[in-house]
Amino acid sequence: MVDPYSAKGYSLAGTVKALDGIVPPEVLSPSQGNVDLQSSSELGDLIENITKAESASIVSETISSLLSQSIAQSANLGEILDQFDTSTDFARSETLSKQLYQVARVIKARKALEAERDVFYVELGGFDTHASLQETVASKMEIVNSALDEFVTEMKAQGIWNNVTIVSGSEFGRTLDNNGFGTDHGWGGNTFVLGGSLNGSHVLGQYPWDLAEEVNVGRGRLIPTTSWEALWHSVCQWFGVEDDDMGNVLPNKHNFGNRDLFTKHDVFISPDDE
């Protein structure tokens, strides 16, 4: 059996379903990074008052113990992150730039954190364009482009860009037709992936050349031709997930045949190709 990697999840957007797992993720503030909840902080006295009282209830004692452990681990993370900053100047005028700045700091501290595999979740809302479609998308994409440019520059400066993959995602697509002011909720859409070891400049998946009823359920709501499992299967392989564990990571994988799943060789550059 292969020894598992030291892995951690970090969310810069609060508690999110995407990072649900056996081990809860670290939740960092986009503005502050790690938030100090020790006794010297604003909430310290309240937390200490909650956790110091003993209870006859095993459940209460377990929760109190876990809370104390979490606060101590968070304080340790904060002490480590305080020692690291980026060489790239992040504007941090928008929330995505703030989030990616904190991600870059954690990545820079990877040796001190003894990290081998980390997953980060960042978020930018406001794409629900029922109105002002063109103006909203143009404005949001400027934010995305600027933040990604800063982040990629920093990853290259750290010499780790070839070990980073960024996957974009959305809750739902948009209709192809308009409602007079914008678009409404759809189903199928598209996404982008970027990274230093990516076999880029390719479009994967089946493009619906014919927008007939087979793929169009009305108003340009397209039935997806590619599953999320297809993309994540390739990313998980690149990440180091063994085939025997893939079903645990992608529980819906069995709904799709192997021919419908991308492999790491479809998406990433093989070391032999470099």
Side-chain angles (χ1 to χ4, degrees), residues 147-187:
L148 285 178
D149 182 58
E150 294 169 344
F151 183 72
V152 172
T153 299
E154 175 61 22
M155 293 301 96
K156 290 179 177 179
Q158 292 187 25
I160 199 171
W161 177 231
N162 286 353
N163 300 90
V164 174
T165 295
I166 300 170
V167 179
S168 68
S170 177
E171 294 177 276
F172 44 76
R174 310 299 301 182
T175 56
L176 293 183
D177 71 353
N178 68 78
N179 58 18
F181 301 95
T183 59
D184 295 321
H185 297 182
W187 191 358

Side-chain angles (χ1 to χ4, degrees), residues 57-101:
S57 168
I58 296 178
V59 175
S60 296
E61 281 297 287
T62 300
I63 293 174
S64 177
S65 175
L66 290 174
L67 177 59
S68 298
Q69 292 177 35
S70 298
I71 292 172
Q73 292 172 0
S74 177
N76 180 61
L77 174 62
E79 290 176 0
I80 294 175
L81 291 183
D82 285 344
Q83 304 173 42
F84 296 89
D85 202 356
T86 63
S87 59
T88 305
D89 184 17
F90 284 70
R92 286 182 273 173
S93 57
E94 299 286 351
T95 180
L96 189 59
S97 176
K98 293 177 182 178
Q99 292 175 73
L100 289 177
Y101 166 70

Side-chain angles (χ1 to χ4, degrees), residues 11-256:
S11 171
L12 279 297
T15 303
V16 293
K17 191 69 176 176
L19 293 181
D20 272 0
I22 297 175
V23 179
E26 296 282 354
V27 178
L28 302 178
S29 164
S31 300
Q32 299 174 307
N34 187 73
V35 179
D36 180 19
L37 294 178
Q38 290 283 46
S39 57
S40 59
S41 70
E42 183 178 349
L43 297 176
D45 292 339
L46 295 175
I47 294 174
E48 184 179 9
N49 186 50
I50 292 173
T51 57
K52 71 179 181 181
E54 295 186 5
S55 172
S57 168
I58 296 178
V59 175
S60 296
E61 281 297 287
T62 300
I63 293 174
S64 177
S65 175
L66 290 174
L67 177 59
S68 298
Q69 292 177 35
S70 298
I71 292 172
Q73 292 172 0
S74 177
N76 180 61
L77 174 62
E79 290 176 0
I80 294 175
L81 291 183
D82 285 344
Q83 304 173 42
F84 296 89
D85 202 356
T86 63
S87 59
T88 305
D89 184 17
F90 284 70
R92 286 182 273 173
S93 57
E94 299 286 351
T95 180
L96 189 59
S97 176
K98 293 177 182 178
Q99 292 175 73
L100 289 177
Y101 166 70
Q102 300 298 346
V103 171
R105 289 180 64 215
V106 176
I107 292 176
K108 194 164 187 177
R110 59 191 178 278
K111 291 184 179 179
L113 294 171
E114 299 181 347
E116 294 179 296
R117 297 289 189 278
D118 284 334
V119 177
F120 301 90
Y121 180 93
V122 300
E123 185 176 275
L124 178 65
F127 285 93
D128 198 3
T129 51
H130 292 283
S132 304
L133 169 65
Q134 293 180 323
E135 297 86 348
T136 299
V137 172
S139 174
K140 292 294 180 181
M141 292 312 297
E142 284 184 9
I143 295 173
V144 172
N145 289 339
S146 177
L148 285 178
D149 182 58
E150 294 169 344
F151 183 72
V152 172
T153 299
E154 175 61 22
M155 293 301 96
K156 290 179 177 179
Q158 292 187 25
I160 199 171
W161 177 231
N162 286 353
N163 300 90
V164 174
T165 295
I166 300 170
V167 179
S168 68
S170 177
E171 294 177 276
F172 44 76
R174 310 299 301 182
T175 56
L176 293 183
D177 71 353
N178 68 78
N179 58 18
F181 301 95
T183 59
D184 295 321
H185 297 182
W187 191 358
N190 50 56
T191 188
F192 66 84
V193 183
L194 58 153
S197 60
L198 209 71
N199 184 17
S201 302
H202 288 82
V203 177
L204 301 179
Q206 179 184 347
Y207 187 85
W209 294 102
D210 184 1
L211 302 181
E213 292 182 358
E214 295 85 61
V215 296
N216 188 345
V217 295
R219 291 200 54 206
R221 288 187 171 95
L222 301 185
I223 299 174
T225 59
T226 304
S227 67
W228 269 113
E229 281 72 17
L231 172 58
W232 283 114
H233 184 262
S234 65
V235 175
C236 288
Q237 285 186 334
W238 171 82
F239 205 64
V241 176
E242 299 291 332
D243 288 341
D244 291 341
D245 296 322
M246 197 66 74
N248 295 324
V249 180
L250 299 175
N252 292 324
K253 171 179 174 287
H254 67 277
N255 292 327
F256 308 94

Side-chain angles (χ1 to χ4, degrees), residues 265 268-274:
H265 303 294
F268 297 90
I269 298 172
S270 169
D272 297 333
D273 298 334
E274 293 179 339

